[in-house]
Structures are given as structure tokens and as C-alpha cells.
Amino acid sequence: MKNKIVGIIFLIISINIYSQQSKIGKADREYDKFAYVDAIKTYESVFNSGYKSIDMLQKLANSYYFKADLQKAAQWYFELFKLTKDLEPEYYYRYGQSLKGIEDYKRADEILSVFNENSGNEIRAKLLLAQKAYLLDIEKNSGRYLMQNTSINSEKSDYGTTFYKNKIVFASARNSSVLGNTKHSWTGESFTNLYSSILELDGNFSFPKRFEKKLSTKYNESTPVFTKDCKTIYFTRNNFNNGRKGKDKNKITLLKLYKASLERGKWKNIIELPFNSDQYSVAHPALSPDEKTLYFASDMPGTIGNSDLFKVSIELDGTYGKPINLGNVINTEGRESFPFITSENELYFSSDGHPGLGGLDVFVTKVEKNHRFDDILNVGEPINSSKDDFGFIINNIDEKGFVSSNRDGGLGNDDIYQFDEIKKIEYNCEQSLFGLLMDHFTGAPLGNAKVLLSDISFNIVGEVVTDLNGKFRFGMLDCNSRYYIKAEKRDYDTYEISAFTTNQTKEIFLPIRLEKTIQKIKEGDDLAKVFTINKIYFAFDKYDIRADVEADLAIIMNIMKEYPTIKIDVRSHTDSRQSDKYNNILSEKRAQSTIAWLVQHEVNPSRLTGKGYGEIQLTNKCADNIECTEEEHKANRRSEFIITSI
């Protein structure tokens, strides 16, 4: 009977385990198809039944993270980290970002510091190290906008605004489609269509209406941009055109960019751009002021992170050049998306890879004439929050604009906010860096040495030669940046060090010590002479190590650590005052106190011998009964460090 009961219990447990594994398998398939809403329901149900695993919690937390629900993501990453800390660095980054989403910045910085330690050569880690005071920098840029929610929002997602004549055009998941109430498995909402609203002179909005049914499909349309003549539109749509739905190798329908032209009041000639692909997404177009360049976001080959910003030239004949990645000054291993170019050639974009308040933050940089970018600046609050903030646009004439966000207090999942910019952001914060190059052991200045300066991508941006006093200077560096300095000199080992600039205009001093590559030493040499170290002098009638000579003894200590096979004989001496017997005892004590100091500082005593020589090896004329100055007597009160074995 007992065996029968045990068998029944085992059978029940087996059925339960099989049932849970079956549910998890189904949820995993949904997760792989980006059907996060359904995957979440299953994962949470399994967790609440008492089952949990590292893989399941990773996917559950990721599902909320990718849905931009950072509060729930933080909750499930917390459960994951309770189960194990042995996780890939990316999970530390996502957990840190999720903690920012609930405004737990202290804990977020602690988690992100672990990410920094384990992330290797990642751009995000370098940025976090270079911008340790990022919250203070964000605070400096905050308070420059007056912002409020708009009347065009619905209880669903509304986002991605653009200017069009006297209207704004945006994407909305409100269900007014004649094509039915198809739900998007990623968000759980209806697919988005383009809507427009007239922007009245008094600042009010007309009731939003479908922008153009010809542009609508049963899948997502979003983030449009228009040419200045309002005759061409670029917009984002799922991979669907002319009734055909495209899929990647995993049978997922991704995003593409489309173009249409206005003819006799109707949008026609809907075509996809030639650099699209079924195998990657291309989305969120933006036009340069001269309309010769199209910016967009993509995860196409050559992408650094989850999505990068690219640009492509628009030729006079209507063809397109080859897409160019904007590089790792802009792009990180995270998400860079939603570009917008102002009439003043400023690039606004959203990122969760640059240090921010949580989720996607809005950043801005100037596009210089040489196609390089100025400082990457977080635009601060209230544009940015602890949630996702994106889709920033602004009219430089009246300084009015719009931004999208899923922050707390909104009407729908994503809402559109309008703002007035009351103060321009400050660019071109600069610093100068200067330094002193010295010998590692002696502190002597090293002239005629080459010093190289590299940026965060290890591109050399400066090269100088030290003067006779070992001094060097680099002028006018970018603020909030990390630089690498490399010093080179003949007969010395090359040395590299990093330096950080903040957002304060000032000078940074950087002392650098170089070690000699090869020291020609032999038995019988005095280490102090070989390395040009100040002699270790003693006070009159004293044998204790004075504080002012400890630095010189530390050089001896470092040399012995650098050359672990060297053995030395410490030979201590006195001046001629006092009797021979007294001086022999005193010098012996000086030798032993010198040895004791070295042993105390981790030099193996087996490598040290010592002897006191009293006054029998004077360095000058100051023998018995010879009148000498105190300085002349001092020259005889010394210790020597003679090499006995190499």
C-alpha cells in the first residue's frame, strides 16, 4: 500500500513537472516570436505555481524590459538575481536600467558598477566610467522646457509626432480601423495607424483623424517625416506591401522604411526603400535640413548594439547611397533610435546606452561641417524621465515641439507631450589637460618624451613633446569625456593612463611616472647611486628612520620588488663625533633599523644583510678633531645599499 501511495505521488509530481515544462515551452516559443504579452502571462502563471528557473526568469524579466515596463522588469530581475548572481553582464545592465525606471538610482549605480567591471571593452561601460557624475550633468541641463500633456492622446499608445503644414501627424493604436481589431502580440494593443490633428493658432488641437487610408494596412504604420514641399513622405511600416507580408528566417515580420508621393491630393506610389531587408529592421526616418541625407534606425549588419543610427545620401536622381553607421560616438551596445535633425543641424535621438535617468532618454549633439559630432548631451528633465522618452521634435522658429513618453501620469501606454523650450542647451564645454612626466623611482623630470592623447575610440587626437622640465599640455578637450594618455621615452617602458573630463571648464593636472626599461646593474653597485636616489641620512646621534627619507627608502623597496632576485647589504655609517665604540654600535643600529623598515614593507628578510661601519668610511675630510660644518658631518651619516647577488 505504501509503495502504491508513493507511486501515485510520484506520478502526480511527474505530471505536474511535465505540465509546467509544456507551458514553459509554449511561452518560450511566444517569447522567440516577440509575443511578450502572451509569454508573460504563461511565465507568471508557472512562477505562481511554485516553479522557477534561471532561464524562465531571464525571459520573463526581458519580456517586461522589451515592453518598456521597467517597474515590472525590475521586479523580475530582482527575482532572477536572488536565484543567481552568475549572469552575463547584459543582465546587470538591464537590471540597472530597470532600477532607474523606478528611480532607485543608488542601487542602479551599484549594479551598473558590476556591469562596468565585467563588460570588457564595451562603449556603455566606458561612458559610465567617463560620466560618473552623470546625474549632476543631467541636472545642469534640466529645467529648460515647459511641458504638458496634449488633448490628442487616447487610452492606447500615441507617439512619434512630425510637423505637416498646419498639422501634426503621429502614430496611434486607437482602434478606429475598418480592418478590424487586430492585436499586436508584442504590445497587446491594436496595430498603429497614422493620425493627424490641426494645430490651432491658440495652441489647441482638433480631434485627431486618420491621416490617409491609402497609407494604412492591417499592420503598424508610424514615425512619418515629410519633405519641406509636403509632397513626399517617408514612414515606418511592418514588412507588408501590396498585400504581401515578408518574414525573416525566424518567420518574424520586421520593420521597413517606405516612401510615397502626393499627387492630386492623394498619396500614391508607395515603395519600400532599396536598403530594406526581410532579415533586419529599418525604421524611424529623419531628414537633414537640406534634405540630401536621410537618417534612420536599424539593426542591419554593421550595427554595434540592438539598434544603431545610420544615414544615407539621397541623390539628385532619386537614388540612394550606401547606408553609413554614425559610429560609436553616437551608437552603443544598447538602443539608439528616433533621430530628428533640426534646422540648426542638431541631431536629437533617444538612447538607453548613454547614461540617463532610465529607459530611453533624449540626447542631442551638433552635426559639425566635417560630419563629426559635438558633445553628446542628455537634454535633462522634464523631457526625460525614469521611463522611455523618445520621438523628440522641435521647431527652431518658435521653439515649440513634441516628445513621446510612457511616463507615469499619462493617459495611455505612450503619450504625446507638447513643450516650449525656454533656454538653449550649452555646447562646447572645454577643458585643458597638462601634466608632468617623471622618473618612476627618482622623481626626476623627463624632457623630450612623446605624449599621445587618444579619445574613447582610441583615435589619436593630440601629440606633444615634454619640455626640459618634463611638462606637457593638451588644450581644449571635450567635457564629460574619457581620454587615454600614452607616454613614451627611450630607455623607459611605455605607460598608459586614462583621464576624465567633467562639465566644468578648468585645467586638469596629470602626473606620470615612467620606469626604466633596463637598468645596467652588477654586484657591488650601490642601488642608491644606480637609480640616483637621495642618500638615506640620519639625524645626529639617532638611528630611527626619519619621515623625510621614507620616500627614498620606498624607492629601494620598489626596486627590490621589481627585481625579485636581487640581494643587498645595508651598510650604515656615522660621522666622526663620539668614540669609535659608540659609533660602531650606533651604525649597527642604523643598519638594522633600515633593514627592519624594508622588512616591514614586505621585503623578504632573506634578501637583506647589514652591518654598521662606524666612522671608518668617511666620505670627506671630517675625521676626528677636524672642524667641519653640520652639513659636512651629515654627509657621513648615511646608509648604502650594496648589491651582493643578482
Side-chain angles (χ1 to χ4, degrees), residues 246-303:
K247 296 182 179 181
D248 69 0
K249 61 183 179 181
N250 297 316
K251 301 188 182 304
I252 304 298
T253 300
L254 302 176
L255 299 174
K256 287 186 174 182
L257 285 184
Y258 294 83
K259 174 185 176 182
S261 56
L262 187 66
E263 296 181 7
R264 298 179 181 178
K266 299 292 183 182
W267 289 101
K268 298 181 179 180
N269 305 320
I270 302 173
I271 60 171
E272 64 172 85
L273 300 190
F275 45 87
N276 286 326
S277 170
D278 291 346
Q279 303 306 316
Y280 53 78
S281 285
V282 183
H284 313 316
L287 284 167
S288 62
D290 60 9
E291 299 187 346
K292 295 180 180 180
T293 304
L294 183 71
Y295 291 80
F296 59 90
S298 179
D299 60 348
M300 65 174 56
T303 300

Side-chain angles (χ1 to χ4, degrees), residues 31 51 101:
Y31 177 88
Y51 178 86

Side-chain angles (χ1 to χ4, degrees), residues 162-399:
T162 194
F163 298 112
Y164 177 66
K165 299 181 179 179
N166 64 335
K167 301 176 181 179
I168 57 170
V169 181
F170 60 96
S172 177
R174 65 191 72 196
N175 182 31
S176 61
S177 173
V178 297
L179 298 173
N181 187 19
T182 306
K183 295 291 182 73
H184 190 350
S185 58
W186 184 316
T187 63
E189 293 187 335
S190 300
F191 287 97
T192 59
N193 292 122
L194 298 182
Y195 286 78
S196 66
S197 174
I198 298 173
L199 182 55
E200 307 287 358
L201 293 177
D202 60 3
N204 292 320
F205 299 90
S206 67
F207 185 80
K209 295 181 179 180
R210 183 71 65 84
F211 175 65
E212 174 58 68
K213 291 185 178 180
K214 291 288 185 181
L215 299 179
S216 297
T217 64
K218 58 183 178 180
Y219 296 103
N220 287 311
E221 282 83 30
S222 67
T223 54
V225 64
F226 297 88
T227 53
K228 292 175 183 176
D229 62 9
C230 298
K231 293 182 179 180
T232 301
I233 181 176
Y234 296 90
F235 64 100
T236 306
R237 176 193 282 174
N238 278 119
N239 185 357
F240 184 85
N241 200 24
N242 296 323
R244 175 189 169 274
K245 182 171 72 169
K247 296 182 179 181
D248 69 0
K249 61 183 179 181
N250 297 316
K251 301 188 182 304
I252 304 298
T253 300
L254 302 176
L255 299 174
K256 287 186 174 182
L257 285 184
Y258 294 83
K259 174 185 176 182
S261 56
L262 187 66
E263 296 181 7
R264 298 179 181 178
K266 299 292 183 182
W267 289 101
K268 298 181 179 180
N269 305 320
I270 302 173
I271 60 171
E272 64 172 85
L273 300 190
F275 45 87
N276 286 326
S277 170
D278 291 346
Q279 303 306 316
Y280 53 78
S281 285
V282 183
H284 313 316
L287 284 167
S288 62
D290 60 9
E291 299 187 346
K292 295 180 180 180
T293 304
L294 183 71
Y295 291 80
F296 59 90
S298 179
D299 60 348
M300 65 174 56
T303 300
I304 297 171
N306 294 319
S307 65
D308 280 7
L309 297 188
F310 290 79
K311 67 178 180 179
V312 64
S313 61
I314 304 174
E315 309 298 344
L316 292 176
D317 60 1
T319 60
Y320 300 86
K322 182 180 178 180
I324 299 173
N325 190 298
L326 295 193
N328 58 11
V329 174
I330 299 290
N331 295 314
T332 70
E333 295 81 4
R335 295 177 294 167
E336 278 70 46
S337 195
F338 298 97
F340 173 75
I341 308 290
T342 71
S343 60
E344 298 176 356
N345 232 26
E346 294 171 301
L347 168 62
Y348 286 87
F349 65 97
S350 288
S351 170
D352 64 2
H354 292 265
L357 295 175
L360 291 170
D361 271 26
V362 177
F363 295 83
V364 63
T365 182
K366 276 193 173 181
V367 184
E368 302 293 353
K369 292 181 180 179
N370 58 4
H371 303 292
R372 296 187 65 173
F373 299 102
D374 210 328
D375 303 332
I376 310 297
L377 301 178
N378 187 302
V379 302
E381 296 178 305
I383 295 296
N384 288 325
S385 67
S386 61
K387 300 299 192 295
D388 277 347
D389 307 293
F390 59 98
F392 180 102
I393 66 169
I394 189 171
N395 183 336
N396 286 139
I397 297 175
D398 59 12
E399 306 299 344

Side-chain angles (χ1 to χ4, degrees), residues 461-473:
V461 295
E463 179 178 331
V464 296
V465 175
T466 59
D467 64 16
L468 294 177
N469 297 314
K471 295 179 180 179
F472 64 90
R473 176 181 289 275

Side-chain angles (χ1 to χ4, degrees), residues 417-642:
Y417 295 80
Q418 61 187 117
F419 63 79
D420 290 274
E421 186 180 59
I422 57 177
K423 180 183 177 183
K424 300 292 287 185
I425 200 162
E426 295 181 8
Y427 293 97
N428 299 322
C429 170
E430 295 179 325
Q431 296 185 341
S432 65
L433 183 150
F434 70 104
L436 176 63
L437 201 62
M438 299 167 284
D439 183 281
H440 178 75
F441 295 117
T442 67
L446 299 178
N448 199 33
K450 184 165 67 174
V451 185
L452 300 171
L453 181 74
S454 300
D455 62 18
I456 192 172
S457 301
F458 299 100
N459 300 310
I460 296 175
V461 295
E463 179 178 331
V464 296
V465 175
T466 59
D467 64 16
L468 294 177
N469 297 314
K471 295 179 180 179
F472 64 90
R473 176 181 289 275
F474 294 102
M476 298 301 99
L477 307 181
D478 293 336
C479 292
N480 299 315
S481 300
R482 182 174 186 170
Y483 289 93
Y484 298 94
I485 297 91
K486 180 165 71 172
E488 302 173 345
K489 184 172 173 60
R490 185 177 179 179
D491 296 331
Y492 283 84
D493 290 335
T494 298
Y495 184 77
E496 294 189 49
I497 191 173
S498 60
F500 304 95
T501 59
T502 65
N503 65 346
Q504 303 298 320
T505 302
K506 62 178 183 179
E507 293 184 322
I508 299 175
F509 175 69
L510 190 66
I512 299 176
R513 293 177 176 267
L514 297 186
E515 297 183 22
K516 284 191 175 180
T517 304
I518 300 174
Q519 292 289 353
K520 297 178 180 179
I521 55 177
K522 61 183 182 298
E523 292 183 11
D525 282 346
D526 183 351
L527 278 183
K529 289 183 178 180
V530 172
F531 288 89
T532 322
I533 301 168
N534 294 325
K535 291 184 178 180
I536 310 299
Y537 292 118
F538 293 87
F540 173 65
D541 202 28
K542 301 290 184 182
Y543 59 86
D544 55 310
I545 302 299
R546 298 181 343 201
D548 61 339
V549 300
E550 283 193 337
D552 298 307
L553 267 180
I555 297 174
I556 299 293
M557 171 194 71
N558 288 330
I559 294 171
M560 296 197 70
K561 289 182 178 179
E562 290 288 329
Y563 299 89
T565 60
I566 285 181
K567 294 182 179 180
I568 63 171
D569 185 43
V570 180
R571 300 177 183 180
S572 293
H573 307 270
T574 68
D575 61 31
S576 61
R577 292 174 289 186
Q578 302 289 354
S579 67
D580 289 348
K581 180 179 179 181
Y582 183 90
N583 283 337
N584 286 336
I585 294 172
L586 179 60
S587 63
E588 185 67 26
K589 288 182 177 180
R590 287 176 175 172
Q592 294 308 315
S593 66
T594 302
I595 291 172
W597 190 97
L598 292 169
V599 170
Q600 182 182 356
H601 290 80
E602 301 179 356
V603 176
N604 193 319
S606 65
R607 300 172 61 197
L608 301 167
T609 56
K611 182 179 178 181
Y613 287 82
E615 59 180 275
I616 63 173
Q617 294 184 3
L618 300 176
T619 62
N620 53 32
K621 64 178 182 179
C622 300
D624 291 341
N625 302 317
I626 301 295
E627 185 175 344
C628 290
T629 65
E630 181 56 35
E631 283 300 312
E632 289 173 322
H633 282 303
K634 177 184 175 182
N636 292 312
R637 301 192 302 269
R638 69 202 186 278
S639 282
E640 299 166 330
F641 303 87
I642 308 302

